[in-house]
Amino acid sequence: MSGSARPQASEQVSVHFFSPPSGRESREQTEIRKVIENKCKAERAEFIVRRTELVKVAGGENSGRPFNLVRIEHARDLYEQIHRIPVITMSNIGCFIRRDPSSIPVRKKQLISLEGFVRYKSFFRIFRSPTECVTFIDELGSLKAAYYTTDVHDPRMLPLHIFDAEGNWENLEDVAQLREFRSRFGGGATRFDRCRREWANPKALHGRDILRVNGVEIPMGYHWDVTRKNGDERITTAHEVWKLPGSNSYCNIYPDGYIRPGQGNGKNRSKRVWP
């Protein structure tokens, strides 16, 4: 349902390692990357290097400053894979994901950190020095996201970068923050996102993908029925932009960020508008 993936029966750990563009990696950053690569080889884990791109942002005090951004296709692949196989996310530099991939120029307020992007769904670690890297002795196969969810009704199972394209919910394991989240967006079978669109439990399950997060299996075809209601017509993911033209327009959004258009024809049918 949500794009290509390796065989879902595989339990091989996959490490996605984010590093500066070729030619811009410092000696220390190179050493960090090589230590982690050797650790992956020793533990028979897959090691995938993802090079960031330097992009100058616009607006505010950061205007004109270059940021290390994860490429759009790499953000898509990472989020899809997190829901299929054991994925560990690591980096040797602070980097960010576009919340609106169509935005030109990129604005700092539209970015989410790599850590925030995978929070609750993948173990994350940034290494700042080779010494810190060498002392990292945990077995890769034992690592899971901190405070991960155990079922689909927990808000931590949501693709939070889509549900709330402005917020950073860093402590949803905390009772007070969870209460704040529910107070703002609702709980139970129906929630309203920051743009006032309705996210409801599905009336029927669609799709045959078996998704898993941190070993927790998600019911086959589980998604949220997202209806525009009085909310914004525009939905952004890390790699697409969709439009819900009318108040009754809807789509299905899956835990891995995949969007399935709602049924029906005519001007009110949901549609992808970028790319």
Side-chain angles (χ1 to χ4, degrees):
M1 173 64 69
S2 310
S4 60
R6 289 188 295 275
Q8 296 188 8
S10 172
E11 288 300 316
Q12 181 190 31
V13 174
S14 181
V15 175
H16 288 233
F17 191 91
F18 293 83
S19 192
S22 297
R24 290 185 172 271
E25 195 177 55
S26 70
R27 183 179 301 175
E28 284 195 338
Q29 289 168 339
T30 300
E31 186 176 343
I32 290 170
R33 174 172 53 79
K34 289 182 176 179
V35 170
I36 297 300
E37 182 177 12
N38 289 334
K39 182 175 177 62
C40 288
K41 288 179 179 178
E43 298 187 24
R44 299 182 182 276
E46 182 180 31
F47 183 71
I48 301 173
V49 177
R50 297 302 199 191
R51 298 288 183 179
T52 61
E53 54 183 347
L54 278 174
V55 178
K56 291 182 179 180
V57 302
E61 61 183 17
N62 291 298
S63 184
R65 176 185 168 191
F67 278 71
N68 279 282
L69 302 189
V70 174
R71 294 182 180 275
I72 292 170
E73 64 271 22
H74 293 166
R76 175 201 63 206
D77 293 347
L78 172 63
Y79 209 72
E80 285 183 355
Q81 290 301 296
I82 283 172
H83 294 79
R84 287 167 171 77
I85 61 174
V87 172
I88 293 171
T89 309
M90 294 182 173
S91 70
N92 57 13
I93 194 169
C95 48
F96 298 85
I97 310 283
R98 300 166 175 86
R99 296 186 199 248
D100 181 351
S102 70
S103 179
I104 300 175
V106 177
R107 298 186 179 277
K108 175 62 170 63
K109 67 179 182 180
Q110 296 173 322
L111 302 178
I112 183 172
S113 69
L114 177 60
E115 180 179 12
F117 184 64
V118 302
R119 184 174 287 120
Y120 309 124
K121 295 195 172 183
S122 171
F123 176 87
F124 174 82
R125 179 75 180 265
I126 182 171
F127 295 98
R128 299 291 189 181
S129 71
T131 301
E132 179 186 355
C133 186
V134 170
T135 58
F136 177 66
I137 61 174
D138 298 284
E139 287 188 15
L140 296 174
S142 68
L143 300 176
K144 295 183 178 181
Y147 307 112
Y148 62 90
T149 181
T150 57
D151 63 58
V152 295
H153 305 295
D154 189 312
R156 290 172 290 186
M157 188 63 81
L158 289 162
L160 285 168
H161 61 285
I162 302 174
F163 184 85
D164 183 1
E166 297 180 22
N168 286 294
W169 296 92
E170 299 179 356
N171 303 108
L172 281 174
E173 75 284 357
D174 179 74
V175 173
Q177 187 166 105
L178 182 59
R179 186 183 302 117
E180 179 187 354
F181 186 94
R182 288 173 173 166
S183 175
R184 177 173 296 187
F185 302 121
T190 301
R191 298 185 178 97
F192 286 86
D193 65 20
R194 183 176 288 271
C195 293
R196 302 306 300 163
R197 294 176 292 252
E198 180 186 78
W199 291 54
N201 285 346
K203 297 181 177 68
L205 302 180
H206 308 299
R208 301 189 62 81
D209 277 12
I210 298 175
L211 303 184
R212 295 184 182 89
V213 182
N214 295 295
V216 177
E217 187 167 312
I218 300 169
M220 185 182 296
Y222 187 86
H223 61 274
W224 294 272
D225 291 333
V226 179
T227 307
R228 179 181 171 184
K229 298 292 186 180
N230 295 318
D232 194 342
E233 67 175 6
R234 195 167 179 270
I235 297 178
T236 61
T237 78
H239 64 284
E240 292 179 338
V241 179
W242 284 71
K243 183 178 180 180
L244 304 180
S247 60
N248 293 321
S249 300
Y250 77 98
C251 62
N252 303 144
I253 300 184
Y254 290 74
D256 66 349
Y258 175 80
I259 295 183
R260 175 180 181 267
Q263 300 301 304
N265 299 307
K267 63 181 181 180
N268 287 329
R269 180 178 169 84
S270 56
K271 58 184 177 181
R272 188 181 69 180
V273 295
W274 191 95

